[in-house]
Amino acid sequence: MSPTDMKDQTIEKCESVQDATTEDVPLQTILSPSGKVLVLGEAADEAMEFAKHHEHIELSAEEDRKVKRKIDMIVMPLFSFLYMIQFMDKTCISFAAVMGIQTDYKMVDTMYSWTTSCFYLGYLFASPFAAVALQKLPSMRTSAICIVIWGVIQCLHVTAKSYATFTLLRTLLGVLEAFVSPIFVIMMNQYYKKSEHFGYIGVLYGCNGLGTVILACISYGLYHNLGSYTMEAYKVLFIIVGCLTIFNGLLILFIMPNTPADARFLNDREKLAVLERIRGNNQGFGSKTFKWHQMKECFMDMRTWLYFLIGISVAIPNGGISSFGSIILKGFGYSTEKSLLMKAPIGACELVGLVILPLISYFISKRMIIAVFYLLVCVMSTCLLAFSKNKNVALAGYYITGIAPVGIITITSCVASNTAGHTKKLTANAISLIGYSAGNIVGPQTFRSSDAPNYPKAKAAVVGCYCASIALMGLMSFLNVRENRRRDKMQEELGDKYVVVENQEFADLTDFENPAFRYSL
């Protein structure tokens, strides 16, 4: 079939769609960007039901700012605190490494590396199950319960009598985190515009840096007063972090609704305002119906595998540096006590570097440009860490790597903004997290005991991974620009025959199915 025939056929389909939508029928149809006629109205998003029973409102800029400010004051602190605690749970093992845990559990060779890798093995194993469970069950409540259980298991670390038991507990933490991480993507789509995703996810990850600063100070204080406790200092650290986790889980359980339509902290007008805020996302609150065709589409989408590969490439450095940070500092010649405190600056660099992303996004709307710039800085800093003979220069390079989470921020924001259809979104998020988990499993294994204390091979691997992630982001940007232009051209050619059904945004269409969907760059 010639391109002209294909174009004529598409226009004919569009005319039939337009005729169908003018009839008084319960189901309506649209023409997807691929030329396929789709029937709407079955198993739509939860936001569709809310929209049907409420009148459409005009949202002024002032009212939009007011509602956003309220969300920022309630939702963002809860999830920023969760991100901070989540990171502290994972990385307190790095502080425990120089506080005596390796000696107490007789860790030799790669045994310490596996205390981090096994966490991500649990994460990797549970991610597919979490994707299905969080669609079928009330997502926020399910995750909140998992957070509370997670905190309890963190506290139980103090009871481990052997390396095997300790490793099992670390693996269970990874299983539970798989049921927590997806709610960040769900929350972003429920309350925030696509243009806000990158910056606000940056704020969440910036709180990881705050967690590092707090952990450094607590660990330093605990180690400085070793003789004051009835148990090892690192076990006190586990209890502190575990109790904070339980507290955060309870806050989310009692404050956060499963959808904004059920939010007790919003009045009826504000709930409608939230609905209007996210209308431009072409996504809604989420659908409880698992759709196999969306999962199949996710596997066929090249972007999914780019998310996976970028996740691996940014996670290998993360897994290695976060686990061996304190050990790297000891390799510079610092004492155990000072190496604990010296981790605070990398957290401060992460906090400042990532929390300012919303401000940078205000001036530079293209997230990929910002991400690539940040990763180029990471390449420079890891080169300093890997190849500089000057200790102070290498130390500066280590601290600058604090901004490296911009890689996973980009992937998380792209899954939130550029993957439509609730089943497809949760599947894509699970696949990206599997890639991220795999990278974090591999990362600590690159730091071999035979290369201690400088680990030159592992540091060189970090440089290569950041370069690979930059190339992959460039490819993803090219795909999105090309597809947006194709859809714009198709809409222009159809003219008046281009049909937009009322509340089409909340029909739980995928990005492949919705002709109004455009990929954020």
Side-chain angles (χ1 to χ4, degrees):
M1 185 182 293
S2 69
T4 303
D5 292 336
M6 290 180 66
K7 177 181 175 182
D8 292 341
Q9 189 179 73
T10 299
I11 293 176
E12 287 174 8
K13 286 183 179 179
C14 194
E15 288 173 341
S16 66
V17 168
Q18 194 174 41
D19 293 339
T21 55
T22 60
E23 298 176 7
D24 187 18
V25 293
L27 297 180
Q28 295 176 304
T29 57
I30 64 165
L31 189 69
S32 75
S34 63
K36 182 179 180 182
V37 177
L38 303 173
V39 179
L40 307 185
E42 297 178 321
D45 192 278
E46 291 182 42
M48 177 72 86
E49 286 302 311
F50 187 72
K52 282 180 180 178
H53 293 90
H54 295 83
E55 292 183 4
H56 178 77
I57 66 169
E58 292 295 330
L59 189 63
S60 67
E62 182 180 352
E63 187 176 11
D64 180 66
R65 285 192 297 269
K66 184 178 178 181
V67 172
K68 178 175 173 291
R69 190 158 52 243
K70 188 170 187 178
I71 295 169
D72 288 347
M73 295 297 292
I74 297 174
V75 177
M76 279 303 291
L78 280 174
F79 284 88
S80 296
F81 185 38
L82 174 58
Y83 240 100
M84 183 185 78
I85 295 300
Q86 188 182 37
F87 187 74
M88 290 171 70
D89 275 342
K90 289 186 291 189
T91 58
C92 62
I93 186 68
S94 174
F95 292 87
V98 295
M99 295 171 72
I101 195 171
Q102 294 185 82
T103 302
D104 291 350
Y105 287 109
K106 299 179 175 58
M107 297 182 192
V108 295
D109 297 327
T110 60
M111 289 176 70
Y112 170 70
S113 298
W114 279 107
T115 62
T116 295
S117 294
C118 70
F119 176 95
Y120 287 101
L121 278 172
Y123 196 132
L124 187 152
F125 170 78
S127 288
F129 301 101
V132 176
L134 291 175
Q135 181 162 20
K136 294 291 186 181
L137 301 173
S139 56
M140 289 296 171
R141 284 191 172 85
T142 302
S143 291
I145 292 169
C146 288
I147 293 166
V148 173
I149 299 172
W150 183 358
V152 171
I153 291 179
Q154 182 74 30
C155 292
L156 289 176
H157 276 53
V158 303
T159 66
K161 302 297 183 184
S162 67
Y163 173 78
T165 305
F166 184 81
T167 303
L168 173 62
L169 291 171
R170 295 288 299 168
T171 305
L172 290 176
L173 286 182
V175 170
L176 288 165
E177 183 173 337
F179 289 83
V180 177
S181 294
I183 65 167
F184 295 106
V185 170
I186 295 172
M187 179 273 291
M188 277 291 154
N189 274 299
Q190 288 182 346
Y191 292 94
Y192 290 100
K193 300 175 183 178
K194 289 170 71 172
S195 59
E196 297 165 346
H197 288 170
F198 181 71
Y200 273 79
I201 292 173
V203 171
L204 295 177
Y205 273 90
C207 290
N208 289 354
L210 179 60
T212 300
V213 174
I214 293 172
L215 267 181
C217 295
I218 293 174
S219 300
Y220 176 81
L222 291 172
Y223 193 84
H224 190 69
N225 298 282
L226 276 177
S228 305
Y229 319 110
T230 57
M231 63 178 72
E232 289 81 359
Y234 62 81
K235 291 186 176 182
V236 179
L237 182 64
F238 290 144
I239 292 175
I240 292 172
V241 175
C243 289
L244 288 172
T245 304
I246 294 170
F247 175 66
N248 181 249
L250 292 173
L251 285 177
I252 292 177
L253 182 63
F254 291 113
I255 295 176
M256 283 302 298
N258 288 306
T259 71
D262 302 319
R264 287 176 291 182
F265 55 82
L266 297 173
N267 60 38
D268 291 341
R269 176 74 183 185
E270 288 168 340
K271 291 175 184 178
L272 289 171
V274 170
L275 188 72
E276 294 305 321
R277 289 196 91 246
I278 67 169
R279 190 179 288 274
N281 294 356
N282 280 286
Q283 303 172 60
F285 297 157
S287 171
K288 293 298 180 189
T289 304
F290 188 88
K291 300 177 181 177
W292 289 101
H293 76 277
Q294 288 194 11
M295 187 177 76
K296 179 182 177 181
E297 180 182 305
C298 183
F299 282 103
M300 299 297 291
D301 189 347
M302 186 175 179
R303 292 170 188 81
T304 301
W305 302 109
L306 287 175
Y307 300 152
F308 176 80
L309 293 173
I310 297 172
I312 291 178
S313 63
V314 298
I316 290 175
N318 177 75
I321 292 177
S322 63
S323 299
F324 282 80
S326 299
I327 296 174
I328 290 172
L329 289 170
K330 284 194 73 175
F332 286 143
Y334 296 111
S335 65
T336 297
E337 189 171 352
K338 192 167 184 180
S339 67
L340 290 171
L341 197 59
M342 290 290 285
K343 279 207 74 174
I346 191 173
C349 186
E350 181 176 6
L351 175 63
V352 175
L354 300 183
V355 166
I356 63 171
L357 282 178
L359 178 62
I360 297 174
S361 298
Y362 181 80
F363 296 101
I364 304 174
S365 61
K366 303 294 189 292
R367 70 187 73 184
M368 287 300 177
I369 294 176
I370 301 171
V372 168
F373 174 77
Y374 266 56
L375 287 173
L376 286 171
V377 174
C378 288
V379 170
M380 177 202 71
S381 63
T382 48
C383 284
L384 296 178
L385 175 63
F387 308 121
S388 177
K389 303 299 183 182
N390 186 301
K391 184 182 77 172
N392 292 329
V393 172
L395 181 62
Y398 169 71
Y399 286 152
I400 296 172
T401 60
I403 65 171
V406 74
I408 192 61
I409 289 170
T410 305
I411 297 308
T412 305
S413 69
C414 284
V415 171
S417 303
N418 289 342
T419 309
H422 200 58
T423 300
K424 182 178 180 181
K425 181 183 298 296
L426 288 176
T427 305
N429 190 58
I431 291 172
S432 68
L433 290 176
I434 287 171
Y436 190 66
S437 301
N440 276 289
I441 292 168
V442 172
Q445 305 305 319
T446 62
F447 284 77
R448 299 184 178 276
S449 55
S450 58
D451 296 330
N454 294 320
Y455 303 102
K457 294 178 183 177
K459 293 173 183 176
V462 168
V463 175
C465 286
Y466 285 140
C467 291
S469 64
I470 291 171
L472 292 167
M473 285 183 183
L475 176 58
M476 186 162 62
S477 297
F478 169 76
L479 291 175
N480 290 341
V481 169
R482 186 180 65 176
E483 180 60 19
N484 285 349
R485 288 176 178 172
R486 187 185 75 83
R487 294 188 183 194
D488 289 342
K489 185 178 180 181
M490 174 184 169
Q491 182 177 338
E492 183 182 343
E493 290 175 345
L494 291 174
D496 294 339
K497 297 181 177 66
Y498 179 77
V499 177
V500 177
V501 176
E502 184 180 6
N503 292 322
Q504 176 179 305
E505 304 93 340
F506 306 132
D508 196 35
L509 298 172
T510 69
D511 46 294
F512 279 17
E513 295 172 335
N514 191 344
F517 190 94
R518 297 295 184 273
Y519 294 99
S520 297
L521 305 176

